[in-house]
Amino acid sequence: QVQLIESGGGLVQAGGSLRLSCVVSGVTFGYYAMGWFRQAPGKERDFVAAISWTGTSTQYVESVKGRFTISRDNAKNTVYLQMNSLKPEDTAVYYCAVSRVPHATIDPGQFSTWGQGTQVTVSS
């Protein structure tokens, strides 16, 4: 059974930083790309970032480029999302997900398993 456990969310002031972690079990972690998505209240879940199975290729939504960094540690079965210069519009529940493919993709349909989410709230 595949499990994804996110952590690291919280309340932060605008301009601050948070680092999200997602520990994965039940799958050969190093074979698959990973992604982060977010869902704000009343909105659909949107793509944020993805990283290939080797960690050498990444994708980001335009609104977070230059502020967020996705990374992974295959020895620890963990994917990270470093979030800097946070803005109130970054407020959302953040989810990590395992991709069905090894390359970084922005297509939600390519992601098969999701975590329970972690809340990020950015105050102005």
Side-chain angles (χ1 to χ4, degrees):
Q1 181 180 0
V2 181
Q3 288 190 322
L4 293 80
I5 306 295
E6 299 103 332
S7 62
L11 173 63
V12 63
Q13 288 187 331
S17 298
L18 284 173
R19 188 195 196 202
L20 306 184
S21 300
C22 174
V23 180
V24 182
S25 61
V27 68
T28 306
F29 180 75
Y31 286 179
Y32 302 100
M34 294 292 299
W36 286 96
F37 293 76
R38 64 186 179 187
Q39 186 169 20
K43 296 187 177 181
E44 295 184 351
R45 187 161 54 187
D46 292 328
F47 169 81
V48 176
I51 187 167
S52 64
W53 67 290
T54 59
T56 56
S57 177
T58 57
Q59 298 264 19
Y60 296 94
V61 66
E62 190 65 34
S63 60
V64 308
K65 285 182 180 178
R67 300 189 297 124
F68 290 12
T69 302
I70 187 171
S71 62
R72 67 189 295 160
D73 185 338
N74 287 351
K76 295 182 178 180
N77 283 14
T78 303
V79 61
Y80 305 96
L81 186 67
Q82 178 66 45
M83 306 186 294
N84 299 329
S85 302
L86 282 161
K87 304 175 181 180
E89 51 263 44
D90 295 319
T91 295
V93 177
Y94 282 71
Y95 301 88
C96 67
V98 179
S99 175
R100 294 185 177 92
V101 299
H103 59 272
T105 176
I106 67 172
D107 180 4
Q110 294 292 345
F111 290 85
S112 59
T113 308
W114 303 78
Q116 82 289 349
T118 185
Q119 176 70 48
V120 172
T121 303
V122 185
S123 63
S124 57

